[in-house]
Amino acid sequence: MEPDDDKPLAADRDQYILDDLHNSNDADSDTTSLASRIYRGVMKNGRRYQTIREDNYWCPADEQQFECFDACHLVSILLDSETRNPLFQAPIKQSAKNILDIGTGRGNWAIDVADMFPHATVRGVDLYPPPVNWMPPNCILEVDNILENWTWREPFDFVHISHLVASFTPGEWDTVYKQAFDNLNPGGWIEQLEADAYVLCDDGSLPPSNILHSFGSNVLDAAANSGHPGGTLNTMRASMEKAGFVDLQERTYKWPIGPWPRDKLLKEAGQVNYHQWVNGLEGWCMFLLTKFGTPEPWSPEEVQVYVARLRQEVRKPEFHIYHTARRVWGRKPEQAE
C-alpha cells in the first residue's frame, strides 16, 4: 500500500496500476503475470471476480455489478439530498488533507469527494481495478487488500466505508476498524453505510408466501456459512466503539424498491433502487449460494432460476417493498481527551 510520490495523481488509471505492478522490470515474468491476472480476474458461472481474495469475497467485479454499484451510490445520495451533505454525514472540515474510501467500487464516492475537497488527497481502495479513465487530479484509485498492514505515510482525516456486507469475518472487521483508528489523525472521523438484504413491506401488499421473503435468509445464511456473516448493519456501531471511536451517531433509512411511493423523492430513489436490484440479484446470489447455500450448495442453474423468479416479483408495482440501510459515523478522540 505504499504510495509513490513520484507518480502523477491523475493519469490513465489502468496504466497507473499496471506501472505500479511492473515496477521491477519487463523481464520479471511473475510481476507481469500478476498484473495480467488482476485485470483479467477469474470467470465463474458466467461472472468475473477479483483474484486477490478469490475464495473469500462474494461480489463479482464486472460491468453488470459496477452498474449495480452506480445505482446504489445514487440511491444513497438521493435519500440524503436534503441534508447538509448527501455524500456523508460526519462533520468533516474543509481543511481535511487525506481521505480514504474503502470498497470504492467504480470510485464514484471518491471522485465526488475529491471534487468537493480540491486541496485534499482522496484515495479509493478496492480489490479490482476501478474501470475509470479520468479522475480529478487529487483522486487516486488503488488495488489492494485492506486487511494487510496499512503503510500510507500520511494519516487520514476521514475514512469512509460502504457496501461491504459479508465481506469479512468478525475478526477481520475488528482489524479494519483498528487500522482505521490507528491511521486517523486525532479528531478524525470514520463513517460506514451498509444496506440490508431482507425485503420488507409495511402495508401487507407483499403476501407472506412470496418468494421475495426468502431472499434475505437465503443469502445471509449462506454468508454465515462462509464465515462472513452479513449482519454488518447491526454490528458496525458496536465494532467502532470497540475500536475506540467516540461520539457515535447513526441514521437508519428505508430504501424503497420500485417507484411505488407517492413522495416524489422516494419515488425517484425507488426507481433507481429497482434497477440496482434487477442488475444486482444474480451477483448477490451466485457466489454465496453455489458455495455455501443451504441445506447444500445450489447448482448455478438453480440460482439462475431462483434469480429469475425474484426479478419477476420485484417488477410487480403492486408490491410496496423496501429494505433498510444504516449510516454510522464516529470520531477518534483528541489526544487530550
Side-chain angles (χ1 to χ4, degrees):
M1 287 190 186
E2 292 188 59
D4 187 341
D5 293 337
D6 294 328
K7 286 190 180 294
L9 295 185
D12 183 305
R13 187 53 44 190
D14 290 351
Q15 190 59 49
Y16 174 84
I17 300 173
L18 278 176
D19 288 346
D20 216 29
L21 291 167
H22 283 270
N23 58 12
S24 54
N25 54 61
D26 291 339
D28 190 338
S29 59
D30 290 340
T31 302
T32 302
S33 176
L34 173 62
S36 176
R37 180 169 169 76
I38 287 175
Y39 272 94
R40 187 171 61 249
V42 58
M43 297 298 297
K44 297 180 180 179
N45 299 318
R47 302 300 298 269
R48 182 180 67 199
Y49 295 84
Q50 53 75 37
T51 59
I52 294 177
R53 297 181 64 215
E54 181 176 330
D55 295 322
N56 293 295
Y57 185 50
W58 61 267
C59 189
D62 54 23
E63 187 58 31
Q64 182 175 341
Q65 205 67 26
F66 285 124
E67 289 179 5
C68 177
F69 297 154
D70 291 347
C72 187
H73 177 65
L74 182 52
V75 171
S76 67
I77 289 177
L78 286 169
L79 292 180
D80 268 327
S81 61
E82 297 177 351
T83 66
R84 178 184 61 87
N85 186 334
L87 291 169
F88 54 83
Q89 297 301 302
I92 307 303
K93 297 179 180 179
Q94 196 62 38
S95 59
K97 296 299 182 185
N98 289 286
I99 296 172
L100 177 65
D101 182 31
I102 298 175
T104 199
R106 203 193 289 266
N108 298 30
W109 187 93
I111 291 169
D112 288 348
V113 171
D115 283 334
M116 183 179 295
F117 291 85
H119 301 295
T121 297
V122 181
R123 297 180 182 275
V125 176
D126 215 317
L127 295 171
Y128 186 82
V132 295
N133 293 320
W134 181 90
M135 290 167 297
N138 59 322
C139 184
I140 303 172
L141 301 183
E142 302 177 348
V143 177
D144 220 320
N145 183 356
I146 206 70
L147 294 174
E148 302 295 335
N149 289 331
W150 298 11
T151 55
W152 290 293
R153 298 188 184 101
E154 297 296 328
F156 295 99
D157 301 296
F158 184 27
V159 172
H160 176 261
I161 306 170
S162 63
H163 308 303
L164 291 181
V165 164
S167 296
F168 304 117
T169 67
E172 288 169 345
W173 271 119
D174 287 343
T175 296
V176 171
Y177 294 125
K178 177 66 164 54
Q179 295 216 83
F181 186 89
D182 291 345
N183 286 273
L184 275 166
N185 282 312
W189 289 83
I190 188 173
E191 182 165 318
Q192 185 168 1
L193 173 65
E194 301 292 348
D196 204 3
Y198 288 103
V199 178
L200 303 175
C201 176
D202 291 340
D203 64 3
S205 61
L206 183 70
S209 60
N210 191 278
I211 194 173
L212 289 174
H213 287 296
S214 72
F215 171 71
S217 296
N218 279 333
V219 295
L220 294 183
D221 286 351
N225 291 341
S226 76
H228 301 74
T232 312
L233 191 83
N234 301 313
T235 61
M236 55 188 177
R237 178 169 183 156
S239 297
M240 290 181 192
E241 188 173 24
K242 177 181 176 181
F245 290 100
V246 298
D247 294 342
L248 288 160
Q249 302 174 61
E250 66 179 69
R251 178 172 294 163
T252 302
Y253 307 82
K254 290 182 177 181
W255 282 15
I257 306 170
W260 57 265
R262 293 182 179 180
D263 178 86
K264 182 178 179 181
L265 179 61
L266 292 177
K267 180 180 290 290
E268 184 178 2
Q271 181 65 41
V272 175
N273 200 24
Y274 163 81
H275 288 291
Q276 181 194 193
W277 276 72
V278 170
N279 286 322
L281 277 167
E282 184 183 83
W284 299 338
C285 290
M286 186 61 74
F287 179 96
L288 289 172
L289 295 184
T290 58
K291 285 182 172 290
F292 305 104
T294 55
E296 60 185 11
W298 300 23
S299 71
E301 293 75 22
E302 288 174 322
V303 174
Q304 289 167 352
V305 170
Y306 180 60
V307 167
R309 294 179 63 195
L310 291 172
R311 285 181 180 145
Q312 184 177 23
E313 299 304 304
V314 165
R315 291 189 172 104
K316 294 181 177 179
E318 64 267 29
F319 295 158
H320 299 167
I321 54 178
Y322 67 92
H323 61 125
T324 58
R326 182 168 296 133
R327 187 187 298 272
V328 176
W329 61 99
R331 179 176 61 87
K332 179 176 179 176
E334 299 286 352
Q335 291 176 330
E337 294 182 21

